[in-house]
Amino acid sequence: MKKGLKLLLSAAFALSIAGCANGSSNDDKTIKIGATAIPHAEILNDVVKDELEKEGYTLEVTEFTDYVTPNTSLEDGDLDANYFQHKPYLDDYNKNNSTDLVSAAAIHYEPFGLYSTTIKSLDELKDGDKIAVPNDATNEARALLLLQDNGVIKLKKDASLSATKNDIVENPKNLDITEIEAAQLPRSINNVAIAAINGNYAVEAGLKVSDAIAVEAKDSLAAETYANIVAVRPDNKDSEKIKALVSALQSDKVKSFIDEKYQGAVVAVF
């Protein structure tokens, strides 16, 4: 009897340890989050980590350089949350990968801009010039909408947030719209007339909003739609540590840091 009881207790202890190892423990005080470097990981490391430490939590930040791995790592349970994307991108990812990741909160908005090293005005575009846009569905639509808002092209009326270059109905200067992976856009800027660059990658490359030929208006459809979120799995959305994470990210200290650090390239939405 005693030997059997010891075996049962040992097995239970082993299962308990395994549960903690794979992140299933509800009282775990470590928060594992994935993020792209700027501004997301910067905000987390420079401000949020200290705020969470005051609440008894340890924040572990893993930096990613792409827009896919943070979601696969979250879905696989290697992360508790990620912070790098907007809701339309997450919705598109879920649709294409049969996942059900959800938003826990919206944190900031990054104005999308048109950048160039060769021209200073859209009026200077020449026939056949090449324009680089992101190759992922939601961000390509965002870039095309910005081009449309500035009179460069015209899209089908029903294209909106799902627009691709196939939805262009008017292209007076026969511009060559080239799709490039979002993270590579800043590197392409010298090889094209214009690059439509996501705010975080623009900041990371040392580009300033004030240098952009055109930027999304604060009252544009994109500005209302593309706030960057904290993504989580449905099963931990209401957990105490996710609540603590969101509270720290939506603190006055984070808002002040964003305003002072990024000078309009990143805008808090809380």
Side-chain angles (χ1 to χ4, degrees):
M1 284 286 291
K2 289 183 178 179
K3 185 176 181 181
L5 181 60
K6 286 182 179 180
L7 288 173
L8 286 171
L9 289 173
S10 296
F13 179 73
L15 287 171
S16 174
I17 294 297
C20 290
N22 65 22
S24 63
S25 174
N26 291 326
D27 59 354
D28 186 5
K29 303 295 283 187
T30 297
I31 302 174
K32 297 180 179 180
I33 186 168
T36 45
I38 298 174
H40 309 85
E42 207 164 54
I43 293 169
L44 292 167
N45 285 317
D46 291 2
V47 187
V48 175
K49 186 173 287 188
D50 289 342
E51 291 300 292
L52 283 171
E53 191 174 326
K54 296 174 185 177
E55 302 300 321
Y57 290 95
T58 298
L59 184 67
E60 294 183 0
V61 181
T62 300
E63 291 190 20
F64 294 90
T65 59
D66 69 283
Y67 282 178
V68 176
T69 315
N71 278 335
T72 57
S73 296
L74 177 59
E75 179 68 21
D76 292 342
D78 297 327
L79 301 172
D80 297 305
N82 67 44
Y83 172 41
F84 77 98
Q85 65 194 319
H86 46 60
K87 186 66 163 50
Y89 181 87
L90 177 62
D91 291 342
D92 188 66
Y93 178 88
N94 281 332
K95 179 181 177 181
N96 293 328
N97 294 277
S98 300
T99 51
D100 60 351
L101 302 176
V102 298
S103 170
I107 308 301
H108 75 263
Y109 162 67
E110 299 166 9
F112 208 100
L114 302 180
Y115 296 87
S116 177
T117 57
T118 58
I119 63 174
K120 296 182 179 180
S121 167
L122 294 174
D123 294 333
E124 297 177 36
L125 282 169
K126 299 175 182 178
D127 191 78
D129 271 349
K130 184 178 290 187
I131 295 182
V133 300
N135 67 354
D136 60 278
T138 53
N139 283 309
E140 180 175 2
R142 189 175 177 183
L144 295 175
L145 285 170
L146 180 55
L147 290 168
Q148 177 175 251
D149 289 343
N150 285 275
V152 178
I153 59 171
K154 187 174 181 180
L155 300 166
K156 293 178 182 177
K157 289 183 178 180
D158 59 349
S160 192
L161 298 178
S162 61
T164 71
K165 66 179 185 178
N166 295 326
D167 294 307
I168 298 174
V169 293
E170 291 184 21
N171 183 2
K173 293 188 176 180
N174 300 305
L175 300 169
D176 179 7
I177 308 296
T178 302
E179 298 159 328
I180 296 177
E181 202 277 320
Q184 303 302 319
L185 283 165
R187 299 176 187 175
S188 74
I189 196 169
N190 293 321
N191 301 316
V192 298
I194 290 176
I197 304 177
N198 303 56
N200 60 311
Y201 287 130
V203 173
E204 190 172 345
L207 299 170
K208 298 179 181 179
V209 172
S210 57
D211 296 330
I213 295 175
V215 180
E216 288 168 335
K218 292 182 179 180
D219 59 351
S220 66
L221 175 62
E224 297 172 358
T225 306
Y226 293 109
N228 281 209
I229 60 171
V230 175
V232 298
R233 295 182 302 280
D235 64 327
N236 72 340
K237 180 180 180 181
D238 298 318
S239 67
E240 290 304 312
K241 62 182 182 179
I242 295 302
K243 290 179 181 178
L245 174 64
V246 170
S247 179
L249 272 165
Q250 293 185 332
S251 66
D252 289 340
K253 285 192 176 181
V254 166
K255 188 177 187 307
S256 295
F257 177 83
I258 288 175
D259 290 345
E260 295 171 10
K261 177 79 174 181
Y262 303 112
Q263 300 292 307
V266 180
V267 180
V269 298
F270 53 86

